[in-house]
Amino acid sequence: GENVEQHPSTLSVQEGDSAVIKCTYSDSASNYFPWYKQELGKGPQLIIDIRSNVGEKKDQRIAVTLNKTAKHFSLHITETQPEDSAVYFCAAIKANAGGTSYGKLTFGQGTILTVHP
Amino acid sequence: DGGITQSPKYLFRKEGQNVTLSCEQNLNHDAMYWYRQDPGQGLRLIYYSQIVNDFQKGDIAEGYSVSREKKESFPLTVTSAQKNPTAFYLCASSKPGRKNTEAFFGQGTRLTVV
């Protein structure tokens, strides 16, 4: 089955700096890669996603890049703010032969991001 | 407002007891999932259901059971066979499809064995 590795496990930055979290996946058939942000005591929330037919996607201060050949994708947060502090998870999912997916997401281990004021 | 609701938020169980966690969604999603979250291990899939009256084992199904009698509901029972049940449990739902893959999560239930 799919295996997703996420690094680093913890990341500490100063406010205004950039933060980068990297993930690798094992199944070349995976074609959807979401990123989730989880605040303390809450469920994860989708912040950005990318599909395998796209190499990069941006949404304001966050961006995701995908390298299908190397099977890795990254989350980039620019101009970090204290409210960006949270646990971030990457995930990967494979569509079946018919083109639909079951939402059977395989998650990375998570990255605890701390942004210091 | 549409959403996915888990209850209770905190649950305490004595050893040897079964306990059921509730998950309800009004998003008209076909698929529902249960994940377990332990520190440093990310989210691990327990069970998932793509349609009413059907469900599949995930990666760590042993000691758990589910039912899917209604589209809106996917309760998880943690049985006494689960040796280490203390964890944070997350329910999610999605509407599988080429364009609609996003999974929405509930706020979680923290289960503690006492």
Side-chain angles (χ1 to χ4, degrees), chain A residues 31-32 36 38 41-46 49 51 87 89 93 98-110, chain B residues 9 31 33 35 37 40-43 45 48 50 59 88 90 94 96-103 105-108:
Chain A
N31 61 2
Y32 175 69
Y36 285 84
Q38 185 179 25
K42 297 184 178 180
Q45 284 195 306
L46 181 75
D49 56 14
R51 297 182 185 274
V87 180
F89 291 99
I93 183 174
T100 58
S101 61
Y102 300 116
K104 188 185 175 190
L105 292 167
T106 300
F107 285 86
Q109 294 83 356
Chain B
K9 189 171 183 179
Y33 324 88
Y35 289 89
Q37 185 173 25
Q41 295 193 46
L43 301 173
L45 183 65
Y48 65 104
Q50 301 168 34
D59 302 317
F88 190 52
L90 286 160
S94 72
R98 186 178 293 278
K99 293 185 178 181
N100 300 310
T101 315
E102 177 181 351
F105 282 85
Q107 293 300 296

Side-chain angles (χ1 to χ4, degrees), chain A residues 80-99:
Chain A
T80 54
Q81 301 168 4
E83 50 265 38
D84 293 329
S85 297
V87 180
Y88 291 82
F89 291 99
C90 63
I93 183 174
K94 177 175 65 175
N96 68 1

Side-chain angles (χ1 to χ4, degrees), chain A residues 17-21 33-37 45-50 56-65 74-81 83-86 88-89 113 115:
Chain A
D17 289 350
S18 294
V20 180
I21 303 170
F33 307 93
W35 284 89
Y36 285 84
K37 176 183 181 181
Q45 284 195 306
L46 181 75
I47 55 171
I48 194 167
D49 56 14
I50 191 166
E56 183 176 3
K57 184 177 179 180
K58 288 184 179 180
D59 183 3
Q60 299 183 342
R61 295 187 298 107
I62 61 174
V64 57
T65 58
S74 300
L75 177 71
H76 304 253
I77 305 174
T78 59
E79 300 172 25
T80 54
Q81 301 168 4
E83 50 265 38
D84 293 329
S85 297
Y88 291 82
F89 291 99
L113 174 63
V115 180

Side-chain angles (χ1 to χ4, degrees), chain B residues 28-88:
Chain B
N28 197 33
H29 284 173
D30 296 305
M32 296 186 75
Y33 324 88
W34 275 104
Y35 289 89
R36 170 178 171 144
Q37 185 173 25
D38 295 285
Q41 295 193 46
L43 301 173
R44 294 183 291 169
L45 183 65
I46 304 172
Y47 268 98
Y48 65 104
S49 168
Q50 301 168 34
I51 197 169
V52 175
N53 293 323
D54 181 65
F55 49 83
Q56 306 293 329
K57 291 183 178 180
D59 302 317
I60 55 165
E62 186 175 352
Y64 300 98
S65 65
V66 294
S67 63
R68 188 82 188 279
E69 298 176 0
K70 298 187 300 182
K71 187 176 186 177
E72 302 80 15
S73 179
F74 190 42
L76 173 74
T77 296
V78 184
T79 74
S80 57
Q82 170 50 237
K83 299 305 179 186
N84 185 24
T86 295
F88 190 52

